[in-house]
């Protein structure tokens, strides 16, 4: 077993412990207390509790890397650009879903090497479902797994052609108008098109497990929102493309905001032509 594979059991334990702390707040009586951060995004006691557990857990691993967490301090880029590997963490992805108590929130832990998400784990506290993936070309290792309490299966993206009943996943709250315009242009080219709305990194995981084909994200996200699920998707055979339709990279600039992107499954399908033609339509 490779060095990276050996990290996975510990990461599972860390994520599940963070999920337990999140659920204690989620299931508590009374209204969930919400604070507003400087960027106007919400944060709760559950975000902070999960961050503390994950940070402590990662610091106790035998292999030590810097930790960049949404709820931790943000080192400047002059410091970050020197990191060869580091942990990129969103302790509670989908805080608005958490506040609304619809269950669609996750714990995201990713390992970044250079500009690539090479290892990722996404845990869904409400269901206990765990996604994890590893895609490391140097070790010639690439796989993605979905685990539940009673099953474990390897993930693979679904094939796409113009006879496909195309399933697109999207956010409930962000970029809806632009997404509707895009899908209106593209829909006639496929047998049918279905838009499924869901929260957090579950959208990317849906592509990794083959239940959806495409996630166009036409609104801002941060790098910790995507990295863990990106590694899962890579391991399942998919990818995330930026606005120029090149691979989405990490830690390449001062800002941690992602550009708009397209998470795709079947890489043999000509997504680039589809997306470029839709822009010129």
């Amino acid at each position: 077993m490779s060095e990276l594979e050996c990290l996975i059991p510990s990461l599972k334990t860390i994520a599940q412990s963070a999920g337990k702390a999140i659920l204690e707040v989620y299931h508590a009586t009374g209204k969930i207390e919400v604070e507003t951060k400087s960027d106007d995004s919400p944060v709760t006691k559950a975000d902070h509790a999960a961050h503390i557990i994950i940070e402590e857990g990662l610091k106790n691993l035998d292999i030590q890397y810097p930790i960049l967490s949404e709820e931790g301090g943000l080192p400047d880029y002059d410091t970050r650009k020197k990191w060869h590997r580091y942990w990129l963490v969103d302790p509670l992805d989908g805080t608005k879903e958490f506040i609304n108590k619809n269950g669609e929130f996750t714990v995201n832990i990713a390992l970044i090497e250079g500009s690539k998400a090479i290892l990722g784990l996404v845990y869904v506290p409400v269901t206990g479902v765990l996604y994890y993936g590893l895609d490391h070309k140097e070790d010639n290792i690439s796989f993605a797994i979905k685990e539940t309490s009673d099953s474990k299966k390897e993930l693979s993206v679904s094939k796409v052609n113009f006879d496909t009943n195309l399933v697109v996943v999207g956010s409930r709250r962000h970029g809806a108008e632009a997404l509707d315009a895009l899908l209106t242009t593209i829909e006639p080219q496929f047998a049918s098109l279905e838009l499924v709305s869901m929260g957090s990194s579950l959208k990317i995981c849906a592509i990794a497990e083959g239940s959806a084909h495409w996630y166009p994200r036409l609104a801002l996200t941060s790098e910790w929102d995507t990295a863990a699920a990106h590694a899962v998707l890579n391991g399942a055979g998919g990818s995330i493309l930026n606005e120029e339709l090149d691979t989405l990279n990490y830690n390449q600039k001062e800002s941690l905001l992602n550009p708009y992107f397209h998470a795709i499954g079947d890489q043999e399908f000509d997504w680039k032509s589809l997306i470029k033609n839709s822009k010129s339509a």
Side-chain angles (χ1 to χ4, degrees):
M1 186 179 290
S2 71
E3 174 189 81
L4 293 172
E5 289 175 283
C6 289
L7 290 168
I8 292 173
S10 296
L11 295 178
K12 290 181 187 179
T13 300
I14 293 168
Q16 289 165 342
S17 297
K20 183 178 179 181
I22 289 169
L23 289 180
E24 287 177 1
V25 179
Y26 188 70
H27 292 309
T29 57
K31 187 176 180 181
I32 295 174
E33 295 181 15
V34 182
E35 300 174 9
T36 302
K37 295 192 288 188
S38 59
D39 62 357
D40 290 330
S41 63
V43 64
T44 70
K45 290 181 180 178
D47 296 78
H48 294 306
H51 163 74
I52 291 168
I53 289 169
I54 294 169
E55 185 175 57
E56 181 178 348
L58 295 177
K59 285 181 176 178
N60 286 330
L61 294 176
D62 292 337
I63 305 173
Q64 290 295 298
Y65 302 120
I67 301 168
L68 178 56
S69 170
E70 179 175 12
E71 307 310 333
L74 178 59
D76 60 39
Y77 184 56
D78 284 341
T79 299
R80 289 189 283 114
K81 69 182 180 182
K82 298 172 185 174
W83 294 348
H84 173 58
R85 283 182 178 174
Y86 68 98
W87 296 109
L88 183 55
V89 176
D90 191 343
L92 200 171
D93 180 33
T95 299
K96 291 180 180 177
E97 314 301 333
F98 173 82
I99 294 166
N100 291 328
K101 295 197 172 184
N102 69 9
E104 294 178 357
F105 51 88
T106 59
V107 176
N108 297 348
I109 303 173
L111 183 63
I112 308 298
E113 180 180 87
S115 63
K116 308 299 182 185
I118 61 169
L119 173 62
L121 186 145
V122 176
Y123 180 60
V124 190
V126 167
T127 63
V129 171
L130 184 66
Y131 299 90
Y132 55 93
L134 175 58
D135 185 58
H136 195 235
K137 300 300 187 289
E138 287 77 2
D139 291 334
N140 197 29
I141 300 174
S142 187
F143 64 82
I145 303 291
K146 179 181 180 180
E147 280 190 19
T148 67
S149 59
D150 57 3
S151 69
K152 179 178 178 179
K153 69 173 184 177
E154 190 158 357
L155 302 181
S156 181
V157 299
S158 293
K159 292 293 184 181
V160 176
N161 58 55
F162 288 113
D163 294 325
T164 297
N165 298 310
L166 193 72
V167 179
V168 180
V169 284
S171 170
R172 290 191 180 89
R173 298 178 176 83
H174 306 285
E177 186 173 334
L179 178 58
D180 287 345
L182 172 64
L183 298 186
T184 297
T185 302
I186 285 170
E187 183 172 12
Q189 301 179 59
F190 291 89
S192 69
L193 188 151
E194 177 186 4
L195 175 61
V196 180
S197 297
M198 62 179 69
S200 70
S201 56
L202 289 172
K203 295 184 284 293
I204 300 172
C205 291
I207 300 170
E209 65 179 331
S211 60
H213 303 102
W214 180 28
Y215 168 30
R217 178 67 186 206
L218 307 180
L220 293 177
T221 56
S222 294
E223 294 185 4
W224 45 61
D225 295 316
T226 56
H230 192 171
V232 175
L233 180 57
N234 286 344
S239 185
I240 300 183
L241 308 178
N242 62 22
E243 288 179 291
E244 286 71 43
L245 303 180
D246 297 318
T247 301
L248 182 71
N249 290 323
Y250 297 86
N251 201 34
Q252 299 300 293
K253 58 189 188 308
E254 183 71 43
S255 171
L256 287 175
L257 290 176
N258 286 321
Y260 294 177
F261 64 77
H262 298 268
I264 59 169
D266 183 5
Q267 294 195 70
E268 294 182 1
F269 181 73
D270 191 1
W271 293 102
K272 293 185 178 183
S273 293
L274 180 77
I275 293 164
K276 286 178 180 178
N277 290 340
S278 72
K279 290 180 179 179
S280 60

